[in-house]
Amino acid sequence: MTQIAQVSRIPKGKRTEIRRENERVILDAAERVFAEAGYGGATMQLIADMAGLPKANLHYYFPTKEALYRQVVRNIFEIWLQAAESFDDAPGPVEGIGAYIEAKMAISRRHPYGSKVWASEVMHGAPVIQDYLETTLRDWTAGRMALIQRWIDEGKMAPVDPRHLLYMLWAMTQHYADFGHQIETLNNGQPLSDAQWAEATETVKSVILRGIGVI
């Protein structure tokens, strides 16, 4: 089991580093427990056991289950936001959307539990993070829609509805995380290999980029 350093016993100069590592261990454990048990089925004790520390230590960093859950959801969304930086820096849809697909597929491989937590929350009507959807997600979506519309207006891609294009991008890339068990089952019970992930990524890119008329 993972041993968590007691922050109070660490010299002040190292406390920030230790705190970050402890929070990472807790969040990794919480991500998996919330994904497998759901918000209602998860308990702080289950998460503490998964992280390998006493429940009291867990409460030191996250006083309530809701606070911990919200941080797990916020983490995966912030990771997705970083992936979307390719939009802002790209000269056009081939580079921007292509890089976004690559980044989102890589995230689905590295953070499948975070994606599943997000999906489960939304499918249940977002009882904990509805405020987040109505603010941060809505603002981000509006910004990306405006950029896609600009590419359309400049003649760089086919005139498709930007909103539905984003929905398709999310569905196609996050499928590999949210339905990972189904994919493994159809892959003879084995996780996708490096070569299969590369093939899947290129297939998604090809379907989308051909669909918007840029390749």
Side-chain angles (χ1 to χ4, degrees):
M1 300 176 76
T2 305
Q3 297 298 315
I4 304 297
Q6 296 293 331
V7 172
S8 60
R9 299 177 182 175
I10 303 298
K12 290 183 178 180
K14 295 184 179 180
R15 286 188 182 182
T16 299
E17 179 182 347
I18 295 299
R19 183 181 184 90
R20 287 175 180 168
E21 175 61 17
N22 290 353
E23 288 180 347
R24 183 195 65 76
V25 170
I26 292 169
L27 288 168
D28 284 351
E31 192 176 86
R32 180 162 187 167
V33 172
F34 284 130
E36 294 179 344
Y39 181 77
T43 66
M44 294 295 264
Q45 186 62 61
L46 280 173
I47 295 167
D49 292 344
M50 178 69 70
L53 72 155
K55 188 168 71 171
N57 287 33
L58 192 87
H59 284 287
Y60 174 82
Y61 291 98
F62 299 96
T64 66
K65 183 173 77 167
E66 180 176 335
L68 179 52
Y69 181 79
R70 290 181 69 88
Q71 187 59 50
V72 167
V73 172
R74 186 178 298 114
N75 276 3
I76 188 62
F77 187 63
E78 289 177 352
I79 290 169
W80 285 335
L81 286 181
Q82 292 171 8
E85 291 176 358
S86 61
F87 271 97
D88 302 323
D89 301 330
V94 174
E95 300 86 356
I97 295 175
Y100 182 57
I101 291 170
E102 291 175 357
K104 286 288 265 83
M105 289 292 286
I107 292 166
S108 287
R109 188 178 191 183
R110 294 196 307 268
H111 301 278
Y113 294 116
S115 182
K116 289 174 184 176
V117 171
W118 179 278
S120 178
E121 168 72 11
V122 173
M123 285 190 294
H124 286 85
V128 178
I129 65 159
Q130 182 62 29
D131 58 329
Y132 206 67
L133 300 185
E134 293 176 352
T135 55
T136 307
L137 179 60
R138 180 175 290 168
D139 292 343
W140 180 90
T141 302
R144 302 293 81 68
M145 287 171 57
L147 179 55
I148 292 170
Q149 187 60 53
R150 191 187 80 200
W151 287 337
I152 293 171
D153 295 341
E154 293 173 350
K156 294 181 176 179
M157 58 179 283
V160 300
D161 187 308
R163 185 184 303 274
H164 294 297
L165 175 58
L166 286 173
Y167 294 165
M168 290 179 188
L169 288 168
W170 299 342
M172 293 177 78
T173 56
Q174 289 162 227
H175 174 88
Y176 287 87
D178 302 341
F179 289 86
H181 177 74
Q182 177 175 276
I183 290 171
E184 288 190 12
T185 298
L186 296 176
N187 194 44
N188 298 317
Q190 298 297 320
L192 296 184
S193 65
D194 291 345
Q196 288 173 314
W197 271 103
E199 182 181 26
T201 301
E202 289 305 311
T203 299
V204 173
K205 284 176 61 178
S206 178
V207 169
I208 291 292
L209 296 181
R210 290 179 187 279
I212 61 174
V214 297
I215 61 172

